[in-house]
Amino acid sequence: MNILEIISKKRDKHELSSGEINWFVKEYTNGAVADYQASALLMAIYLNGMSRRETIDLTMAIMHSGEQLDLHDTLDFVIDKHSSGGVGDKTSLVVLPLVAACGVPAAKLSGRGLGYSGGTLDKMESIPGWTPNLSIDQIKAQVADIGLVLAGQTASLAPADGKLYALRDVTSTVGCLPLIASSIMSKKLAAGGDGIVLDVKIGSGAFVKTVEEGRLLAETMVNIGHDAGRNTVAVLSDMNQPLGNAAGNSLEVAEAIRTLRNDRSSPDDFWEHCLKIGSYMLYLAGRAETLEACEARLIEARDSGDGIEKFRQMVTAQGGSGDIIDNLDRLPQANFIADVTATSTGYIKQIDTENLGWAVVNLGGGRRQKTDPINPAVGFVMPVKVGDFVVKGQVLATIHADNVGGFNQAKQLILSSIQIVGEKVDKLPLFYGVVNSS
Ligand code: URA
């Protein structure tokens, strides 16, 4: 086979065969196809798209580029979830312990932050001592022992995705549905889930900005899961404002713990979101007949304290200090904490959530380059939502910064991201629908 023929075929809007797709992924991963040739093919795919058959072929080829995790010698049914990324999304920290406390073991491989969008591992690492670096044997032993593991994505799973993703990042080919879908699903399939719940974020703080695009991405990923024999559901959820109130690593861990403890200060939108994702996980695992019954089980697991105990067990099993759960002030604390207040009175019309994510990165809570260190303590807590009426001088957000310079920069970005108008504005929905296998 010849890479020039493959590029020109896609450039001229023809379908690639399964053999051509497999050959490209294998040879690119081996280094036999150069980056500039792979870039040309990615751009041709970006411009001309891929059929359902091509997309599943690409996903399977990426998945087969490395090892596959098989937990079936430990678990009867493997449940997994994935979020397409956003700001303030700490759902895994709450949902996985609750699902495990309901008797459905969960061993999740998570990632780090990507651009302005936070990552589960970075959040969890703000707990002193906690580590995501577990071998496959350790993952199996821990999930058999306590029913819950949160580990780092190993480089041996879907290695072609790491290489292709890095190339897409620097060739403006990230925002392409078949490429996003195959990237996410190859990792999920390699991680071995029998049931997969996809949380497809839509809005100003997500990679996908419109409901139409989000639905198409969800359908593409659900079709891939279905064709690969996995029971897959996608929840379309809003990301036009941060999920919950906190954004920034240790602030999000604290909010997740408050939610598991059912503290009065825990935000309702975040809890609703956790119930939705968690109930689909229990439902796919056959834990109850209806989604309502699954929700009731999750509420019971939170109210009985079983969920927070499961979280504590996971933290201590992975080397973390369990007493932060009872003493949140032992989490890393920022040096300079101050409020941003509204400069006018009116209704919040719009929030540029991507900008808010960049505010966290600028404060030091995310990375501009792969090697950048993370400051776990920084970020913001924003108690206001789209549709809220605010008066001039009211607190819009509390910024946790390393110093006054960082605070001032974040303050400007946050103020310019929140639009306040005179006319009444409707609240945003939390969800835009659910896509099931067809
Ligand atoms: N997350 C991924 O893993 N891949 C993409 O392409 C986009 C988001």
Side-chain angles (χ1 to χ4, degrees):
M1 267 186 223
N2 175 339
I3 185 64
L4 294 183
E5 278 171 19
I6 294 176
I7 296 169
S8 45
K9 202 167 163 188
K10 190 36 89 182
R11 179 200 62 200
D12 297 338
K13 302 188 169 65
H14 299 298
E15 251 193 289
L16 301 178
S17 69
S18 308
E20 286 164 333
I21 290 171
N22 285 336
W23 182 89
F24 162 69
V25 171
K26 185 155 167 273
E27 298 304 319
Y28 179 58
T29 315
N30 290 342
V33 168
D35 275 349
Y36 52 83
Q37 293 171 315
S39 307
L41 181 59
L42 290 172
M43 188 55 83
I45 294 171
Y46 184 96
L47 295 173
N48 296 328
M50 278 186 139
S51 66
R52 176 167 174 169
R53 202 266 310 142
E54 287 178 296
T55 309
I56 173 102
D57 281 345
L58 180 61
T59 309
M60 298 313 264
I62 298 174
M63 166 189 152
H64 286 300
S65 67
E67 288 177 53
Q68 274 121 69
L69 182 61
D70 186 358
L71 295 173
H72 288 104
D73 53 352
T74 315
L75 305 178
D76 294 335
F77 185 89
V78 179
I79 190 72
D80 202 358
K81 76 166 278 282
H82 181 84
S83 157
S84 59
V87 178
D89 184 8
K90 71 261 334 155
T91 307
S92 291
L93 276 54
V94 170
V95 155
L96 297 174
L98 288 176
V99 164
C102 292
V104 176
K108 176 154 166 46
L109 302 185
S110 290
R112 300 198 175 275
L114 188 63
Y116 66 86
S117 153
T120 300
L121 299 189
D122 295 331
K123 295 173 208 216
M124 285 299 294
E125 279 180 347
S126 51
I127 299 177
W130 185 87
T131 179
N133 301 323
L134 304 180
S135 67
I136 304 274
D137 285 345
Q138 285 172 314
I139 291 175
K140 287 185 176 178
Q142 186 174 318
V143 78
D145 188 24
I146 63 167
L148 179 61
V149 184
L150 243 177
Q153 179 93 41
T154 76
S156 59
L157 291 189
D161 179 63
K163 213 172 160 187
L164 283 168
Y165 193 90
L167 191 63
R168 286 167 58 212
D169 210 15
V170 292
T171 54
S172 277
T173 51
V174 170
C176 163
L177 294 191
L179 295 178
I180 297 176
S182 55
S183 165
I184 291 175
M185 289 305 287
S186 59
K187 287 175 286 202
K188 291 289 106 183
L189 298 182
D194 300 303
I196 303 170
V197 179
L198 300 166
D199 182 3
V200 177
K201 303 279 185 212
I202 298 167
S204 63
F207 292 113
V208 168
K209 307 288 179 198
T210 67
V211 177
E212 293 68 37
E213 269 184 302
R215 188 171 295 279
L216 211 55
L217 175 63
E219 284 168 358
T220 309
M221 294 198 289
V222 166
N223 286 340
I224 294 171
H226 177 261
D227 291 357
R230 316 293 175 91
N231 203 348
T232 311
V233 171
V235 175
L236 308 179
S237 59
D238 182 71
M239 189 32 78
N240 284 298
Q241 53 193 349
L243 183 60
N245 298 341
N249 297 298
S250 68
L251 295 169
E252 291 190 50
V253 170
E255 188 163 275
I257 291 172
R258 282 197 202 98
T259 302
L260 279 169
R261 291 196 314 214
N262 195 15
D263 285 4
R264 286 214 290 168
S265 61
S266 58
D268 293 341
D269 65 322
F270 176 50
W271 175 238
E272 285 269 312
H273 184 79
C274 291
L275 278 182
K276 181 76 131 197
I277 301 296
S279 56
Y280 274 101
M281 291 175 80
L282 290 186
Y283 187 71
L284 291 191
R287 229 36 216 173
E289 295 281 304
T290 62
L291 287 166
E292 293 70 29
C294 293
E295 271 201 25
R297 285 193 165 222
L298 293 166
I299 293 170
E300 220 175 278
R302 178 196 62 178
D303 293 349
S304 64
D306 290 351
I308 190 73
E309 276 321 302
K310 196 51 78 183
F311 183 80
R312 189 194 305 271
Q313 285 174 3
M314 180 267 290
V315 166
T316 49
Q318 294 181 222
S321 124
D323 45 296
I324 56 115
I325 290 164
D326 312 301
N327 300 289
L328 292 178
D329 47 12
R330 295 209 185 137
L331 282 165
Q333 305 290 322
N335 294 328
F336 189 90
I337 302 173
D339 293 334
V340 185
T341 55
T343 51
S344 60
T345 294
Y347 293 90
I348 298 187
K349 177 156 193 244
Q350 206 161 284
I351 298 177
D352 185 334
T353 310
E354 177 172 338
N355 257 345
L356 296 184
W358 285 119
V360 176
V361 175
N362 293 344
L363 283 164
R367 299 176 189 82
R368 290 217 173 250
Q369 298 197 336
K370 254 166 112 172
T371 48
D372 284 349
I374 292 266
N375 181 342
V378 297
F380 63 81
V381 178
M382 202 175 95
V384 294
K385 298 280 172 191
V386 168
D388 282 357
F389 181 75
V390 293
V391 291
K392 188 173 172 185
Q394 181 177 332
V395 174
L396 295 179
T398 303
I399 296 176
H400 294 237
D402 201 29
N403 51 49
V404 67
F407 167 81
N408 283 330
Q409 200 189 18
K411 176 179 165 185
Q412 287 318 317
L413 205 48
I414 289 175
L415 282 177
S416 68
S417 303
I418 301 178
Q419 194 188 345
I420 297 173
V421 297
E423 319 77 59
K424 197 167 174 352
V425 175
D426 290 338
K427 302 227 174 256
L428 288 169
L430 288 179
F431 306 103
Y432 297 104
V434 172
V435 176
N436 288 296
S437 297
S438 54

